Amino acid sequence: MEKVKITIDGIEMEVPKTYTILDAAREAGIDIPTLCHLKDINEIGACRMCIVEVEGARGFATSCVMPVAEGMVVRTNTPAIRDARKVTLELLLSAHDKKCLTCVRNKNCELQTLAEKMNIDELEFEGEMERHPIDDMCPSIVRDPNKCILCKRCVAMCKKVQKVGAIDTMNRGFKSVVGTAFDKSLDDVPCSLCGQCINVCPTGALSEKDATKEVWKALEDPTKHVVVQTAPAVRAAIGEEFGMPIGTLATGKMVAGLKRIGFDKVFDTNTGADLTIMEEGTEVIERIKENKNLPIITSCSPGWVRFAESSYPDLLNHLSSAKSPHQMFGAIIKSYYAEKAGIDPKDIFVVSVMPCVAKKAESKREEMNVNGLRDVDAVLTTREAARMMKQAGIDLNTIEDAEFDNPMGEATGAAVIFGTTGGVMEAALRTVSEILTGKELEKIDFEEVRGEEGLKEATIKIGDMDVKVAVAHGLANATKVMDSIKAGTCDYHFVEVMACPGGCVNGGGQPIHDAKTRATVDIRGLRAKALYDADKNLPIRKSHENPVIKKLYEEFLGEPGSEKAHELLHTHYHKREYFND
Amino acid sequence: MKTINEINEIREKTLSEISLRKDINYKGNEKHILVCGGTGCTSSHSDKIISKMNAIIEEKNIENVRVIRTGCFGLCAKGPIIIIRPEDTFYAMAQEEDVEEIFEKHILNGEIVERLLCKDIDGNTVKRLDELNFYKKQKRVVLKNCGMIDPENIDEYIAFDGYKALEKVLTSMTPDDVVNEVKASGLRGRGGAGFPTGLKWEFTKKAVGDQKYVACNADEGDPGAFMDRSVLEGDPHALVEAMAIAAYAVGATKGYVYVRAEYPIAVRRLQRAIDQAREYGLLGKGIFGTEFEFDLEIRLGAGAFVCGEETALMESVEGHRGEPRPRPPFPANKGLFGKPTLLNNVETYANITQIILNGAEWFGSIGTEKSKGTKVFAVGGNINNVGLVEVPMGTTLREIIFDIGGGIPGGREFKAAQTGGPSGGCIPAEHLDTPIDYESLSAIGSMMGSGGLIVMDDTKCMVNIAKFFLDFTVDESCGKCPPCRIGTKRMNEILDRLTNGQGKEGDIEKLEELAKNIKRSSLCGLGQTAPNPVLSTLKYFRDEYEAHIKEKRCPSGECKAMTTVTIDKDKCKGCSLCAKNCPVNAISGELKSPFSIDPDKCIKCGVCIAKCPFKAISRK
Ligand SMILES: Cc1cc2nc3c(=O)[nH]c(=O)nc-3n(C[C@H](O)[C@H](O)[C@H](O)COP(=O)(O)O)c2cc1C
Ligand code: SF4
Ligand code: SF4
Ligand code: SF4
Ligand code: FES
């Protein structure tokens, strides 16, 4: 690659010609403050924090978008630059609802951090502030525009990465606000509820709808048997909330923390994931055999499901009817487990700890019930679970590991990789192959469906059949697949879609990192690696070999796809229409 | 599609029909009545005059008289304007009712209607247009056809050398020749920044791209500005032709004109011009039988000032929210739809055909060393001859305001002139002799801008003027970057305080601190120049700011909040008229004895002052 010589703050360096000044500075270990910049996603030069001086240039340069050039001499830390940045930041603060102490993002807010770094000790330019109503009508996401600094990272995420475009800037000038069409709640616009916008928001303007209070209440209620289940991706990230390095697998500590909070049982959603593979795998086999509604598409990502219901209502028959793992598992807890444990299902309160905010809305869908009882009563994000632990005085760094409770705590390696893109596909392939061929797989790793590529395609040989699969993550990639299905230009049999780029490890409920970390660390790759490692180290790595699942079918469900299984573990979808009133 | 010969035939034929408009010695018996159809005169009902004239012509079967709706003559203050050629009689402020008399006396009997003649500022009645002081120091290059031709008739444009420059370029010049000619002319962008036009053409020509575009910025959003609009209304083909020339020079095949939808007459005439040019094959494939292909499309803007900024304009043309994007990349490399794009202002383009036909040297002979050619100004505010003027660069402000503009009405004093609109600055009397060119205006804290020129007399408060412009920028900020979005709002809040008599010590320093940082931190030109009106008034009229803060006094008396309205006991006869008319019941008293005003209730509206029959109430 062509390189250029530049000097930043006296440091001479050679960098690729394609670098921005910001890229080069970061490589040189120089910290330039940024707010609006999100590498490859939001490069709009809006916030003016990253300005620098370039010798010979008229005015300041915007380092996040300004390409380097041969011989360029850059200064990032001059009195004029410090002064200008400080005034800009003070102006932002003057229009910001500075309720740091009661903000979900307290101590994890890029605005707050900058105020600290820039030594803001007085606000010189206070004045009027626009007041906007808070949108808390949506079961997944809360929007508080009064904390928005208009960096538009969320807008770019939604429009460019997710191709949803549910939010955009409205009005102009001082009245600008990021909002939805006709000022509706996110729940009433074609938002997928993926929560990716939350993860890129530098401030507390976007957050999950809190469920901690409701869960504490259930825990305090002596008549309730409170069961918690945790999704695979949670264990690969929750440690970050306690300062552990990104990619730390903290399964035992997480379980111990939840027990300490006071949950009566801590189960593993992975068991539910194994169950999903049994049900969905059966559906895959049937549909391929009957050549019916192909490709069959996974349905465990509720953000994806809602997106499909909004954008591709004509293709809903392609979606597997299997509920997502935690919903299946909730239904089993309130039926099979209740029976076994001799507890009235009405007294059971099921909490799911999820890397996801869409699951909050999913759990409230009318269809998600057993005999009139909710499958799942409350959904906590990874972040909320950590918050509850902190509230209870628990530090995952110092707690001793604990094990999931039985009888529902056993799960396989196939289930643990559900948390990353390609994982559901791989888990399903392991089971489907062995069932179809009746032979044990020689190689159980399906490398071809792993990795970060947005749309992965592979042809898998199962017996003498060529099974064509595709794996899409991030809704822009989902759109590509769906459009090709609609146009009839693809011949996939089986497709995995996850709403979030990278899959659940990068879900909208996961720990939030600042833009610089996002740009310089492969967060989702490290988390995914933790899950693949866990898979490798587990004794059982195929869902159909899980003894708990086998027993469940023997004792309770009969066989995969049975009537009972359908009643408890399957669902249906419907077209979503907006703006009709 | 017309060949070069056919166009030449049209030119000759039409010229023979309309040459009397330029030929004062014409001896034939035809008359052309030119009625201004610019926006100003149209709103004072010039169209009714035209219909009436045509009705009379038809009714009386008059054969040798034609009525032409032209573009703006410039002297909008005297509209509607009627000019009768060849004798060049100039009737001002005529109405529909006057039409019969004009026909009766002038057209049919060759007798001038004295009462409709225009009085110049010096009191002299002028018979002919070119006797007016208003026109004496002007030089019409850009506006040469405005008021001379029917803008909706391509043949009339062709008659006065129209499409000759395009023919010359296509048949005898290479694209490099064209770029070099424009470079040599020294023409600089008239849209505000004054960037050398030839250089921009060269950059765009050199940029690599499978598709290139030329674009025209006709957004013109400065308050009170209507230079570009007048060109579009009065001579739309000049733009079409220039853009075709530019396209040939830079290698583009497609052009866009971005006009605001609020300029319906301009949009309609430009669309007609495009349609006619297409019909004649002057747009489309194989123009003048060459390989050259070019077509033009109008894109309507919703009237956001920031959409005049080049990158925001492109976002808007592409169908996105009109927000500026960071530069680089510059439009010359990555403009519309990511392709190399040449963007120029209407007035910039309007010079091109003249440069091609008369040569760079001719153009360079007009103006000053670094600012060549002429500049059109829309002059407004406290000035007698409100209107549109075109002067050679280097003309002084004094000449424009006093010689051409006729000075300040009502015998008041000149206080300041604002050029460059919301991005510019206020120029005080001491700089009236500054020659108008890009550098001189910047040196005194203002800028050329696109050509708005607002004159203020001594009743104007400079703090209030700064606030007027800042109100505008606060409204027009796109909101993308915080220094402009929040900073201008904060500055405005301070100015609001000042003009309401609530200024605080330290406010001036805060204004300066904000101004400095908004200028250097903002993303686009709007924010980068927004503080200029404040900075320039602070520079020249700091004492007024200080009086507002320290003495809670507005020296010009314009800021009403700082005045008190009182009743002079000796003059008051106790009639109670004031009390009856006070909207907030602040006045009380017994009939036939002096009334008084409760200062806490009074909102200083001044209604009582106007109502008092004995002049007993005054404002201090
Ligand atoms: C806020 C803002 C508004 C502008 N509005 C206009 C406009 O209305 N018309 C215009 O020609 N240029 C306008 N400009 C300047 C354009 O960005 C650009 O410089 C110009 O159109 C280039 O043409 P020129 O080189 O022929 O002047 C504006 C710039 C800014 C920053
Ligand atoms: S939740 Fe996802 S789809 Fe909804 S606004 Fe946020 S990014 Fe867009
Ligand atoms: S909601 Fe957050 S991410 Fe979106 S524009 Fe506002 S501050 Fe930025
Ligand atoms: S300077 Fe103002 S108009 Fe320009 S981008 Fe920033 S907010 Fe928008
Ligand atoms: S302008 Fe560069 S980070 Fe916002």
Side-chain angles (χ1 to χ4, degrees):
Chain A
M1 194 187 299
E2 208 182 321
K3 294 212 164 189
V4 294
K5 278 207 184 77
I6 62 165
T7 311
I8 305 188
D9 294 344
I11 303 172
E12 285 179 23
M13 61 194 299
E14 231 184 36
V15 295
K17 207 179 156 183
T18 51
Y19 268 31
T20 61
I21 296 176
L22 179 67
D23 292 330
R26 281 181 174 162
E27 206 165 284
I30 293 165
D31 192 31
I32 295 178
T34 63
L35 277 175
C36 67
H37 180 254
L38 257 195
K39 196 161 178 51
D40 299 330
I41 297 172
N42 199 42
E43 300 179 333
I44 59 173
C47 77
R48 319 308 297 150
M49 292 312 303
C50 70
I51 48 168
V52 296
E53 282 180 24
V54 172
E55 228 173 71
R58 208 172 54 102
F60 297 147
T62 314
S63 68
C64 67
V65 287
M66 174 71 108
V68 291
E70 182 61 37
M72 194 181 242
V73 178
V74 181
R75 276 181 214 86
T76 74
N77 174 28
T78 65
I81 288 288
R82 281 196 305 272
D83 191 31
R85 287 181 187 155
K86 197 166 172 218
V87 170
T88 300
L89 187 63
E90 277 189 48
L91 287 171
L92 277 172
L93 290 169
S94 78
H96 180 79
D97 199 9
K98 297 174 283 296
K99 295 202 185 103
C100 294
L101 289 182
T102 51
C103 179
V104 272
R105 295 293 295 277
N106 193 18
K107 295 172 73 191
N108 183 18
C109 166
E110 293 182 42
L111 188 66
Q112 196 185 47
T113 308
L114 277 190
E116 188 211 355
K117 278 191 184 170
M118 292 198 189
N119 203 6
I120 305 280
D121 51 5
E122 179 195 14
L123 294 174
E124 240 191 297
F125 308 112
E126 290 288 55
E128 191 192 312
M129 209 192 126
E130 288 284 297
R131 288 281 163 186
H132 301 279
I134 295 173
D135 169 18
D136 60 357
M137 300 302 285
C138 164
S140 292
I141 297 172
V142 178
R143 287 188 309 122
D144 180 355
N146 306 304
K147 289 188 179 151
C148 173
I149 56 168
L150 291 163
C151 67
K152 308 197 201 192
R153 280 154 57 160
C154 57
V155 173
M157 175 52 84
C158 190
K159 202 183 284 183
K160 282 166 72 180
V161 179
Q162 298 299 66
K163 263 213 165 153
V164 173
I167 44 178
D168 211 333
T169 329
M170 312 284 159
N171 309 340
R172 284 204 318 226
F174 196 68
K175 296 194 167 66
S176 299
V177 60
V178 168
T180 55
F182 310 112
D183 255 343
K184 289 182 173 260
S185 167
L186 269 186
D187 198 29
D188 299 324
V189 298
C191 161
S192 73
L193 304 182
C194 68
Q196 284 301 310
C197 50
I198 301 177
N199 288 18
V200 295
C201 180
T203 71
L206 293 166
S207 57
E208 67 272 85
K209 174 97 168 178
D210 178 84
T212 61
K213 294 184 188 73
E214 187 188 344
V215 173
W216 281 124
K217 208 164 136 213
L219 287 167
E220 282 155 21
D221 184 343
T223 66
K224 289 278 185 245
H225 180 75
V226 187
V227 176
V228 67
Q229 54 165 324
T230 64
V234 177
R235 64 204 70 186
I238 194 164
E240 295 160 25
E241 291 284 342
F242 295 86
M244 295 178 200
I246 295 169
T248 305
L249 192 71
T251 320
K253 291 186 184 294
M254 170 189 74
V255 174
L258 291 169
K259 287 193 170 166
R260 192 83 82 70
I261 284 177
F263 288 103
D264 295 305
K265 290 282 180 215
V266 181
F267 291 150
D268 194 348
T269 307
N270 291 8
T271 316
D274 282 328
L275 190 56
T276 302
I277 290 300
M278 299 310 294
E279 291 299 321
E280 196 172 85
T282 307
E283 207 181 342
V284 170
I285 293 168
E286 272 170 18
R287 285 221 223 155
I288 291 181
K289 277 187 180 156
E290 293 169 23
N291 193 12
K292 185 177 144 202
N293 295 341
L294 290 178
I296 173 170
I297 310 174
T298 59
S299 58
C300 33
S301 165
W304 151 240
V305 169
R306 193 172 139 115
F307 178 73
E309 290 181 324
S310 308
S311 301
Y312 296 95
D314 305 341
L315 300 179
L316 290 174
N317 56 353
H318 287 270
L319 267 63
S320 158
S321 64
K323 284 181 183 172
S324 73
H326 84 120
Q327 295 292 153
M328 282 197 180
F329 203 38
I332 291 298
I333 290 168
K334 290 202 178 174
S335 53
Y336 175 67
Y337 167 76
E339 203 178 295
K340 283 206 118 175
I343 305 171
D344 183 343
K346 285 196 190 66
D347 293 332
I348 300 181
F349 191 90
V350 176
V351 178
S352 302
V353 181
M354 298 283 127
C356 182
V357 292
K359 288 207 155 76
K360 286 178 183 265
E362 180 194 33
S363 72
K364 297 199 159 49
R365 286 176 72 117
E366 217 178 284
E367 314 86 73
M368 298 294 175
N369 72 82
V370 241
N371 307 323
L373 291 175
R374 307 306 308 156
D375 292 347
V376 170
D377 298 285
V379 174
L380 295 170
T381 60
T382 309
R383 299 187 290 263
E384 287 174 286
R387 236 173 270 152
M388 287 182 73
M389 290 176 189
K390 287 179 187 169
Q391 209 180 336
I394 299 158
D395 180 359
L396 288 197
N397 291 293
T398 51
I399 203 165
E400 286 292 322
D401 282 14
E403 303 251 319
F404 283 112
D405 285 310
N406 270 322
M408 314 284 298
E410 186 85 46
T412 70
V416 85
I417 58 172
F418 256 62
T420 177
T421 166
V424 178
M425 176 60 68
E426 180 165 349
L429 289 173
R430 289 179 191 175
T431 292
V432 168
S433 305
E434 295 204 349
I435 292 179
L436 276 176
T437 60
K439 275 192 286 199
E440 198 172 328
L441 278 170
E442 278 167 32
K443 185 168 166 287
I444 84 170
D445 292 342
F446 288 83
E447 305 278 357
E448 51 274 64
V449 296
R450 295 186 181 183
E452 303 260 312
E453 198 162 327
L455 179 56
K456 293 166 275 191
E457 292 177 306
T459 305
I460 310 286
K461 214 144 189 87
I462 300 183
D464 47 13
M465 194 164 59
D466 279 338
V467 178
K468 295 210 165 158
V469 302
V471 174
H473 55 120
L475 291 171
N477 294 313
T479 306
K480 286 183 203 155
V481 174
M482 295 309 275
D483 288 343
S484 69
I485 296 174
K486 202 168 189 172
T489 52
C490 62
D491 56 355
Y492 306 130
H493 294 99
F494 184 21
V495 176
E496 175 201 292
V497 179
M498 293 199 191
C500 293
C504 311
V505 282
N506 187 38
Q510 292 283 63
I512 295 171
H513 294 281
D514 62 19
K516 186 175 174 183
T517 311
R518 288 180 71 101
T520 49
V521 178
D522 178 14
I523 301 173
R524 62 200 211 202
L526 291 171
R527 290 178 185 161
K529 182 171 180 301
L531 294 184
Y532 282 121
D533 288 347
D535 166 36
K536 223 181 296 169
N537 295 330
L538 277 167
I540 308 173
R541 296 182 62 198
K542 300 167 204 157
S543 299
H544 55 285
E545 290 175 358
N546 182 342
V548 175
I549 296 295
K550 285 190 190 161
K551 201 155 144 214
L552 178 62
Y553 279 107
E554 269 166 38
E555 290 181 1
F556 187 67
L557 290 170
E559 56 193 47
S562 69
E563 201 174 309
K564 185 148 200 170
H566 263 276
E567 191 190 317
L568 291 172
L569 309 180
H570 290 255
T571 185
H572 53 269
Y573 312 104
H574 59 79
K575 174 178 183 164
R576 280 180 193 270
E577 283 174 295
Y578 305 89
F579 313 123
N580 285 334
D581 45 330
Chain B
M1 171 122 58
K2 303 255 186 283
T3 62
I4 293 179
N5 281 341
E6 284 165 328
I7 296 286
N8 281 334
E9 277 162 26
I10 291 172
R11 180 171 298 124
E12 268 165 49
K13 178 172 171 288
T14 317
L15 188 59
S16 71
E17 291 161 11
I18 69 173
S19 61
L20 68 112
R21 288 187 209 160
K22 284 186 172 175
D23 181 8
I24 199 117
N25 300 316
Y26 170 80
K27 291 283 176 281
N29 61 351
E30 294 224 7
K31 280 198 194 313
H32 286 184
I33 308 177
L34 306 170
V35 183
C36 177
T39 294
C41 289
T42 302
S43 61
S44 42
H45 308 299
S46 63
D47 51 341
K48 285 196 182 145
I49 296 178
I50 294 170
S51 330
K52 179 84 186 188
M53 287 181 168
N54 283 324
I56 294 179
I57 290 172
E58 197 172 325
E59 187 195 318
K60 305 209 161 145
N61 219 349
I62 305 173
E63 279 197 341
N64 54 350
V65 176
R66 266 180 66 194
V67 182
I68 298 104
R69 182 204 306 261
T70 69
C72 181
F73 288 98
L75 193 50
C76 307
K78 300 270 190 277
I81 289 175
I82 299 170
I83 289 171
I84 300 177
R85 293 216 155 104
E87 58 267 43
D88 215 11
T89 309
F90 175 52
Y91 291 131
M93 293 166 126
Q95 289 301 320
E96 195 185 353
E97 302 82 72
D98 303 320
V99 171
E100 290 218 17
E101 189 178 345
I102 294 175
F103 267 76
E104 209 58 41
K105 291 192 176 156
H106 189 145
I107 302 296
L108 299 176
N109 292 311
E111 188 186 318
I112 284 176
V113 186
E114 297 281 341
R115 66 174 187 91
L116 291 176
L117 287 177
C118 174
K119 267 210 175 34
D120 209 343
I121 302 303
D122 50 24
N124 297 332
T125 302
V126 287
K127 293 207 169 87
R128 285 188 14 214
L129 192 67
D130 56 11
E131 290 171 0
L132 260 178
N133 284 322
F134 179 75
Y135 289 107
K136 280 186 189 156
K137 287 199 171 174
Q138 292 201 46
K139 178 163 182 69
R140 298 201 140 202
V141 174
V142 167
L143 300 175
K144 78 171 175 75
N145 279 337
C146 284
M148 193 61 82
I149 62 167
D150 174 0
E152 302 199 17
N153 184 343
I154 187 173
D155 293 354
E156 291 200 358
Y157 177 74
I158 290 174
F160 291 147
D161 294 342
Y163 290 103
K164 241 187 180 169
L166 180 61
E167 181 201 319
K168 176 174 174 185
V169 158
L170 293 184
T171 54
S172 67
M173 290 170 86
T174 65
D176 277 322
D177 293 341
V178 180
V179 169
N180 288 334
E181 194 71 28
V182 176
K183 267 172 82 175
S185 74
L187 175 65
R188 293 168 66 176
R190 302 294 194 239
F195 191 82
T197 306
L199 264 188
K200 209 189 247 186
W201 288 32
E202 186 171 44
F203 291 154
T204 318
K205 176 172 188 298
K206 284 191 176 149
V208 205
D210 48 354
Q211 166 78 55
K212 290 184 190 178
Y213 297 104
V214 291
C216 174
N217 190 340
D219 192 53
E220 198 170 51
D222 299 30
F226 58 102
M227 301 76 59
D228 296 344
R229 174 186 200 163
S230 297
V231 173
L232 294 180
E233 288 176 356
D235 196 15
H237 283 285
L239 179 66
V240 176
E241 185 180 359
M243 288 184 77
I245 293 170
Y248 173 73
V250 304
T253 51
K254 169 110 210 186
Y256 291 94
V257 184
Y258 187 79
V259 200
R260 46 181 55 210
E262 292 127 82
Y263 287 4
I265 303 178
V267 173
R268 198 188 65 225
R269 295 206 180 135
L270 179 62
Q271 188 58 55
R272 261 193 94 100
I274 292 173
D275 294 344
Q276 291 170 348
R278 276 193 197 131
E279 204 180 300
Y280 278 19
L282 298 166
L283 286 176
K285 287 202 168 106
I287 299 174
F288 282 130
T290 65
E291 297 279 277
F292 179 59
E293 165 187 353
F294 178 64
D295 207 356
L296 204 50
E297 203 179 296
I298 297 178
R299 285 292 165 102
L300 295 184
F305 177 60
V306 71
C307 287
E309 194 281 336
E310 56 185 25
T311 58
L313 180 148
M314 301 201 178
E315 288 283 318
S316 179
V317 169
E318 288 170 19
H320 307 134
R321 186 180 152 96
E323 272 181 4
R325 42 196 197 210
R327 296 176 303 177
F330 289 93
N333 292 312
K334 242 179 150 186
L336 280 171
F337 310 103
K339 306 291 181 192
T341 302
L342 172 74
L343 177 74
N344 277 124
N345 163 265
V346 176
E347 191 183 331
T348 314
Y349 279 123
N351 282 294
I352 294 297
T353 55
Q354 310 276 319
I355 291 173
I356 297 294
L357 288 179
N358 303 329
E361 209 168 308
W362 163 81
F363 189 79
S365 70
I366 311 167
T368 67
E369 191 200 334
K370 286 186 174 166
S371 303
K372 300 295 185 195
T374 60
K375 180 75 195 86
V376 182
F377 286 94
V379 186
N382 304 123
I383 188 160
N384 278 311
N385 293 336
V386 169
L388 199 67
V389 308
E390 181 174 0
V391 289
M393 295 274 191
T395 307
T396 65
L397 273 172
R398 189 186 300 283
E399 288 172 295
I400 298 186
I401 295 169
F402 291 94
D403 300 346
I404 298 172
I408 317 297
R412 306 233 50 126
E413 286 284 305
F414 168 86
K415 184 166 187 181
Q418 160 92 13
T419 65
S423 311
C426 284
I427 302 167
E430 64 198 86
H431 289 306
L432 267 175
D433 291 311
T434 307
I436 293 210
D437 63 59
Y438 294 97
E439 281 72 24
S440 305
L441 285 176
S442 305
I444 55 171
S446 185
M447 64 185 275
M448 178 80 81
S450 51
L453 178 64
I454 299 174
V455 180
M456 289 159 271
D457 69 15
D458 56 355
T459 62
K460 294 286 172 297
C461 166
M462 289 295 122
V463 183
N464 204 34
I465 287 293
K467 187 171 142 39
F468 167 81
F469 283 108
L470 220 60
D471 275 341
F472 179 82
T473 24
V474 167
D475 272 355
E476 294 296 333
S477 162
C478 81
K480 183 168 173 178
C481 72
C484 170
R485 177 180 75 238
I486 311 169
T488 56
K489 172 82 178 168
R490 296 290 172 255
M491 286 184 75
N492 206 25
E493 285 168 350
I494 296 175
L495 292 175
D496 217 29
R497 280 211 289 270
L498 260 54
T499 51
N500 275 317
Q502 287 155 352
K504 294 188 272 202
E505 280 297 329
D507 275 350
I508 294 184
E509 292 68 25
K510 258 188 198 169
L511 280 175
E512 285 173 329
E513 170 86 354
L514 283 168
K516 177 174 82 182
N517 284 298
I518 294 168
K519 272 176 79 89
R520 58 189 187 181
S521 299
S522 291
L523 170 61
C524 87
L526 193 151
Q528 287 161 6
T529 57
N532 288 352
V534 176
L535 287 175
S536 68
T537 47
L538 263 173
K539 180 170 170 186
Y540 296 117
F541 303 96
R542 201 180 180 96
D543 53 331
E544 285 195 32
Y545 281 82
E546 280 166 355
H548 281 74
I549 296 174
K550 294 195 180 124
E551 303 165 40
K552 303 281 177 284
R553 181 176 68 86
C554 173
S556 70
E558 206 190 357
C559 298
K560 295 203 168 61
M562 272 172 286
T563 55
T564 44
V565 179
T566 47
I567 302 178
D568 183 341
K569 280 200 183 65
D570 299 335
K571 288 189 187 161
C572 175
K573 303 256 191 287
C575 73
S576 87
L577 213 56
C578 56
K580 284 194 188 116
N581 281 288
C582 174
V584 291
N585 291 326
I587 309 179
S588 59
E590 300 255 326
L591 273 179
K592 298 198 175 143
S593 44
F595 276 57
S596 63
I597 301 176
D598 179 349
D600 294 336
K601 282 192 187 161
C602 172
I603 55 164
K604 295 150 190 179
C605 65
V607 167
C608 54
I609 303 178
K611 288 289 171 190
C612 177
F614 311 104
K615 298 206 172 4
I617 312 181
S618 62
R619 185 196 295 280
K620 287 194 192 76

